Amino acid sequence: LPESAETATNKVNYDYIAFDATTEENAFFQYSLPKGWNEGTITFRAKWTNAAGLTTETVVFGLKAVALSDDDALDAAWGTEVTVTDTWLAQGDVHISPESAALTIGGTPVEGDLIMFNIARKVATDNLTGDARLLEIILRYTRGSYTD
């Protein structure tokens, strides 16, 4: 569930989803990509901060998705998960992961589809000692046209 925190000095408030250091946890969101999307692969970056960590420690986020059209069952198979690895920089700083490899969305995407996303912290392959606080996901897609 989303949580909020406040910085100590300047009282900056921010929302995040906390991902535990020992148990793989998932969060879900949905988004319909704009008209003009070419229905191809997408990439992502994760913006995150941390509750604890040390230099050289890393966090790994995985994202997978499925496209749903009119009259499709919600219980559909996800596309193949793609991961990004990012290194801890400093306590309480914003971290922006590298861009992921191409992610193929499950189903047969068409314009106007509801795209369901599943983001997870992959604790089996990362070593960040504290909670990873996910702030935002940046999605990048290719446009096939520039008019609606």
Side-chain angles (χ1 to χ4, degrees), residues 21-112:
T22 57
T23 303
E24 182 171 315
E25 297 174 323
N26 299 284
F28 302 89
F29 63 98
Q30 61 249 4
Y31 181 68
S32 295
L33 288 164
K35 282 185 172 182
W37 169 48
N38 72 353
E39 291 88 35
T41 61
I42 63 172
T43 60
F44 79 98
R45 292 179 134 192
K47 289 186 182 180
W48 62 283
T49 190
N50 54 308
L54 302 168
T55 57
T56 74
E57 291 183 347
T58 61
V59 67
V60 179
F61 287 105
L63 184 68
K64 56 189 173 184
V66 62
L68 301 171
S69 297
D70 187 30
D71 199 31
D72 282 352
L74 284 166
D75 192 9
W78 296 103
T80 302
E81 184 176 63
V82 172
T83 61
V84 292
T85 302
D86 202 19
T87 302
W88 181 91
L89 299 171
Q91 187 66 32
D93 280 10
V94 173
H95 297 71
I96 303 173
S97 77
E99 191 151 341
S100 74
L103 183 154
T104 300
I105 296 172
T108 307
V110 298
E111 187 175 286

